[in-house]
Amino acid sequence: MAVNPALQGRVFPPVPAYLVGREKIREFARAVLSDSPINFDLDAAHAAGYRDLVAPPTFPIVVQERTLAQLLAEPDAGIDFSRVVHGEQRFTYSRPIVAGDELTAALTVASIKSLGGHTMVTAVSEISDSAGLHVVTATSTLVVRGEES
Amino acid sequence: MTQTRTPISLGDEIPAVEFRLTRDTLVRYAGASGDFNPIHYRDDVASSVGLPGVLAHGMLTMGVAVQSTVRWIGDPGRILDYQTRFTRPVVVDPDSGATISVAGKVAQVDDESGTARVDLTVTYNGETVLGKAQVQVRLVSA
């Protein structure tokens, strides 16, 4: 099975809205060993000027993952999940994510490149809020290892 | 609210921090993130696909590494951009776990845009595990 080069440029429909919960932020923050009061304590978040708890910088992966699942499940994608390695990741914010945000995300396959028997798939997920405003762009490069390796 | 500006200057070093990851850390991250790939908690699955052992999720290492910068600037909402490449796996021993070391340095300050770039050095067993780990932070709080 090889990655379908025609995937490049494909745009996926937005995933259903994800409501960011306060306890989910606390759970994720504990999981990445955060000790920032702004992730845990409402008073600290308010004092810093936020309307609710702020999510850790890598939290958008939770929302982005739903878009990546769409890509992997695409019938003609040819991406064998057991051969996928996470190569690169980037988050580019317009504003922080706070509890209460209702986020949606839409994935575009930005590029498909072959490199030494492997295929690099770069997927860009634009995450926006319920007003349709951009919140963060999450970009993943997945390395799909070739059959012989 | 009053605008406070953390004095951030070119060449500033972020206090080095060590983070200990154990199998418990991996299970907790799997649950919080929804990434239940068994190579992150099952030795038999990890070895069946030729890995040297159970690995930390790349996203766990990335998420933990930026905490040193969050601590330094005091506000996770001031992280504007964060990127990395996953260059080497972190093998987490069932007994002793794995300790990752995170150092950081301010590599660029742009007063016009009010941002600075922090370059992180993340090592495990003396080897770098994240490549081009760069964090862009806002100089002024919201």
Side-chain angles (χ1 to χ4, degrees):
Chain A
M1 185 161 82
V3 180
N4 180 0
L7 274 181
Q8 181 159 311
R10 192 170 298 183
V11 181
F12 287 77
V15 292
Y18 179 96
L19 177 59
V20 180
R22 211 178 262 169
E23 298 308 333
K24 187 66 192 181
I25 287 182
R26 290 187 174 119
E27 180 192 13
F28 192 89
R30 273 193 297 273
V32 292
L33 312 182
S34 166
D35 56 10
S36 171
I38 295 171
N39 290 148
F40 295 102
D41 177 19
L42 203 52
D43 291 340
H46 288 159
Y50 300 106
R51 70 176 150 77
D52 214 302
L53 298 184
V54 174
T58 58
F59 180 79
I61 192 70
V62 173
V63 182
Q64 186 196 6
E65 202 280 325
R66 294 162 183 238
T67 64
L68 292 171
Q70 278 180 311
L71 169 63
L72 296 171
E74 188 78 339
D76 68 342
I79 300 175
D80 177 358
F81 185 57
S82 69
R83 295 186 163 273
V84 171
V85 176
H86 200 173
E88 295 174 28
Q89 181 68 35
R90 182 170 194 167
F91 302 103
T92 304
Y93 280 91
S94 291
R95 67 157 176 91
I97 292 175
V98 294
D101 277 340
E102 211 169 319
L103 302 175
T104 188
L107 181 147
T108 301
V109 180
S111 72
I112 307 265
K113 288 178 194 152
S114 287
L115 194 74
H118 304 319
T119 308
M120 326 270 281
V121 180
T122 299
V124 178
S125 300
E126 299 287 0
I127 300 176
S128 44
D129 62 20
S130 55
L133 298 172
H134 179 262
V135 176
V136 57
T137 299
T139 306
S140 286
T141 299
L142 307 176
V143 182
V144 187
R145 290 178 294 140
E147 299 287 341
E148 69 288 355
S149 56
Chain B
M1 65 173 291
T2 29
Q3 301 234 313
T4 52
R5 188 199 152 124
T6 312
I8 294 178
S9 312
L10 194 65
D12 277 356
E13 292 197 6
I14 306 217
V17 189
E18 293 204 326
F19 295 96
R20 187 159 170 269
L21 309 181
T22 64
R23 291 291 174 90
D24 301 38
T25 321
L26 305 194
V27 171
R28 187 184 284 272
Y29 185 77
S33 68
D35 181 347
F36 291 102
N37 187 333
I39 63 164
H40 303 302
Y41 53 88
R42 276 181 56 180
D43 292 276
D44 58 332
V45 174
S47 67
S48 76
V49 294
L51 296 171
V54 160
L55 307 183
H57 308 73
M59 285 307 304
L60 170 60
T61 305
M62 184 183 189
V64 166
V66 77
Q67 294 305 323
S68 64
T69 306
V70 170
R71 216 178 266 181
W72 190 61
I73 58 172
D75 181 354
R78 283 170 60 190
I79 307 287
L80 301 174
D81 192 283
Y82 180 30
Q83 64 174 316
T84 196
R85 283 201 289 259
F86 302 101
T87 52
R88 272 199 196 86
V90 174
V91 180
V92 180
D93 183 85
D95 294 319
S96 56
T99 299
I100 59 170
S101 307
V102 183
K105 200 171 185 175
V106 177
Q108 202 175 65
V109 176
D110 184 344
D111 284 306
E112 209 148 293
S113 66
T115 62
R117 197 186 86 211
V118 176
D119 289 357
L120 301 178
T121 304
V122 184
T123 55
Y124 159 68
N125 270 351
E127 292 193 304
T128 303
V129 292
L130 297 183
K132 204 190 173 195
Q134 299 183 343
V135 192
Q136 202 188 9
V137 303
R138 197 152 38 79
L139 296 172
V140 178
S141 49

